[in-house]
Amino acid sequence: MITPRRSHEGGFTLIEVLVALVILGVGAMSLLLSAQAHAARVGGLEDRTVARWVAENHLAGLRLGEEPSDRTAMRGQDWRVTTRESGTRDPHLWRADIAVARAADDVVLFRLTGFLDRGGEMP
């Protein structure tokens, strides 16, 4: 009597399917983590850009003779601005070092140095 042969090439085994799913899961997780890190970097770049705008606006205000404020709001966030003025060799030129931080966590995101014409007098 002839017995029919069974073919072992019918499909994937359960182990092979599980291994493939684990590989796909690890790949998807690494892609998700990479996208999350990229979004955080973009958010940090936006914060530093806004901090730069705050510093430049503050320096422009100082040059125009406005009374400096240590707090300002821009793009929905509150910012703390610290200004330190010091003299230079020229008695009419003063150096202004400006640091801008988020008011919420007080982390300095941008520093700017500019020069002001004070006519020899420090305010």
Side-chain angles (χ1 to χ4, degrees):
M1 185 189 275
I2 301 176
T3 59
R5 285 189 154 179
R6 293 196 328 189
S7 173
H8 294 290
E9 300 175 16
F12 294 108
T13 66
L14 181 60
I15 300 284
E16 291 170 334
V17 170
L18 289 176
V19 168
L21 285 175
V22 167
I23 291 171
L24 287 174
V26 169
M29 189 61 118
S30 65
L31 183 62
L32 180 65
L33 291 175
S34 175
Q36 181 182 10
H38 177 70
R41 282 191 301 272
V42 168
L45 180 61
E46 181 181 339
D47 286 347
R48 287 190 304 275
T49 300
V50 174
R52 180 184 183 126
W53 293 342
V54 169
E56 289 173 349
N57 286 347
H58 189 78
L59 181 60
L62 290 173
R63 287 179 175 156
L64 292 172
E66 295 177 356
E67 187 65 31
S69 173
D70 65 339
R71 298 251 179 201
T72 189
M74 186 178 281
R75 290 192 44 96
Q77 285 187 324
D78 292 325
W79 300 90
R80 186 180 57 80
V81 181
T82 305
T83 306
R84 193 186 83 212
E85 292 187 23
S86 57
T88 62
R89 291 182 190 175
D90 183 348
H92 300 285
L93 193 65
W94 290 89
R95 176 182 171 146
D97 294 307
I98 300 169
V100 178
R102 284 187 297 251
D105 57 10
D106 223 24
V107 173
V108 175
L109 294 176
F110 191 77
R111 295 181 190 277
L112 177 68
T113 299
F115 294 92
L116 309 168
D117 181 10
R118 291 292 191 202
E121 300 176 16
M122 184 155 169

